[in-house]
Amino acid sequence: VQAIWSSLASAIYCVFVAMATDPLVEDEFKDRDATGLQPLTEKTATEDAETTKYMKMLLVVMPIVGQVLAWTTYFCCAKLLGQQEIYDKKFAFAHDYQLGYVYLCIWVIFYTRSAVVCIANGARAPARVERPDQHVYKVMASSGSLKDAPYVMMANTGPQGRFNRAMRGVFNMDESAPYLMTNIVASGSIFGPVVLILCFLVAYGRVTFTHKYKIATKERSAGFLPAVIGEQWIGSLVLLCAIKSILGLSV
């Protein structure tokens, strides 16, 4: 038995040594052409096609799904969890003082951000710029050896690549944080603890997103999905608050 445990320990030790001394080989230039961009192929999407795809997803599908989640949340809390009385008082107050228009203004700007994201995402594919790059830089030389120099892109391999991708995860959260915090305050004034639960969902998603993004660009979806669901859910509650407050609905 001792010999078996000794052999097992030796095997585990060898695995850790191999992991430490044989780092993952990354190719900085995989799937890039001579300029540093993704190669132009038949599958390269057009700007119109990509913009349309994102408009359907961000401006149609997600708001509809969001309203389904929001109204389901309202009815479950009001009818099943005994929150109807407190909701009625809050919505009556919002209706009497025309606060529904404040909710609607917040949601309109939140929705507008989704619209401008569609424009940017639509332009990404024909530009052949892969994530995490958000910009393309060029040496502005009209002549000489640098005239046709490759574009300047973000380092995406090794420790520098991991750092860049992790920072992109941070910036991605920062970009939506003002809208999210405004939505939290607005919807939280009505739905209180429900919004807190959704904030935990967002927190989990954002931490996972940044951690996975650091590992590899393609891994980030595991955290991005719960984060987006939570953020859109909270935003959809704001629109529900606007509808009920403006119309004075008693349902």
Side-chain angles (χ1 to χ4, degrees):
V1 175
Q2 183 177 358
I4 294 176
W5 279 110
S6 178
S7 300
L8 181 60
S10 298
I12 294 174
Y13 173 78
C14 290
V15 169
F16 277 105
V17 170
M19 290 174 62
T21 57
D22 185 21
L24 177 66
V25 177
E26 298 178 292
D27 185 357
E28 187 81 71
F29 305 100
K30 182 181 179 182
D31 298 326
R32 294 180 185 269
D33 62 15
T35 67
L37 303 176
Q38 292 179 298
L40 180 62
T41 67
E42 307 178 332
K43 296 182 179 180
T44 302
T46 65
E47 184 170 341
D48 287 344
E50 282 293 283
T51 302
T52 299
K53 180 185 77 174
Y54 280 103
M55 288 180 67
K56 289 179 179 178
M57 178 173 63
L58 299 182
L59 303 184
V60 179
V61 175
M62 290 180 66
I64 291 175
V65 173
Q67 282 305 290
V68 171
L69 293 173
W71 285 95
T72 300
T73 300
Y74 168 72
F75 283 116
C76 285
C77 292
K79 309 302 182 183
L80 301 179
L81 300 179
Q83 297 294 300
Q84 186 69 68
E85 183 178 356
I86 186 66
Y87 286 168
D88 288 345
K89 290 179 180 179
K90 289 181 177 181
F91 282 121
F93 179 88
H95 176 69
D96 291 342
Y97 289 91
Q98 297 185 330
L99 299 180
Y101 296 102
V102 176
Y103 291 119
L104 187 57
C105 290
I106 292 171
W107 183 83
V108 167
I109 299 303
F110 175 64
Y111 189 75
T112 300
R113 197 221 175 219
S114 296
V116 299
V117 167
C118 293
I119 297 172
N121 284 354
R124 178 183 286 276
R128 295 181 284 137
V129 178
E130 180 60 290
R131 292 170 177 84
D133 284 288
Q134 302 298 310
H135 301 88
V136 180
Y137 297 94
K138 178 179 176 60
V139 178
M140 302 305 290
S142 60
S143 60
S145 60
L146 296 177
K147 178 176 179 294
D148 298 316
Y151 293 109
V152 179
M153 312 298 287
M154 186 181 294
N156 198 28
T157 59
Q160 293 74 29
R162 286 168 62 84
F163 170 72
N164 281 338
R165 292 192 299 273
M167 287 303 299
R168 180 57 206 147
V170 174
F171 293 151
N172 187 275
M173 179 176 179
D174 291 348
E175 290 160 6
S176 61
Y179 307 94
L180 175 61
M181 294 305 299
T182 305
N183 285 337
I184 287 172
V185 172
S187 61
S189 66
I190 301 292
F191 290 98
V194 172
V195 178
L196 175 60
I197 294 172
L198 294 177
C199 284
F200 280 119
L201 175 63
V202 173
Y204 164 77
R206 284 299 176 181
V207 171
T208 304
F209 171 73
T210 302
H211 175 67
K212 294 288 188 180
Y213 211 158
K214 179 187 71 173
I215 296 172
T217 302
K218 294 181 179 179
E219 298 289 330
R220 72 190 192 285
S221 298
F224 192 63
L225 184 59
V228 169
I229 290 175
E231 291 170 11
Q232 290 293 325
W233 200 331
I234 294 171
S236 297
L237 288 173
V238 173
L239 179 57
L240 181 152
C241 292
I243 294 172
K244 280 187 61 64
S245 299
I246 292 173
L247 300 180
L249 297 178
S250 58
V251 294

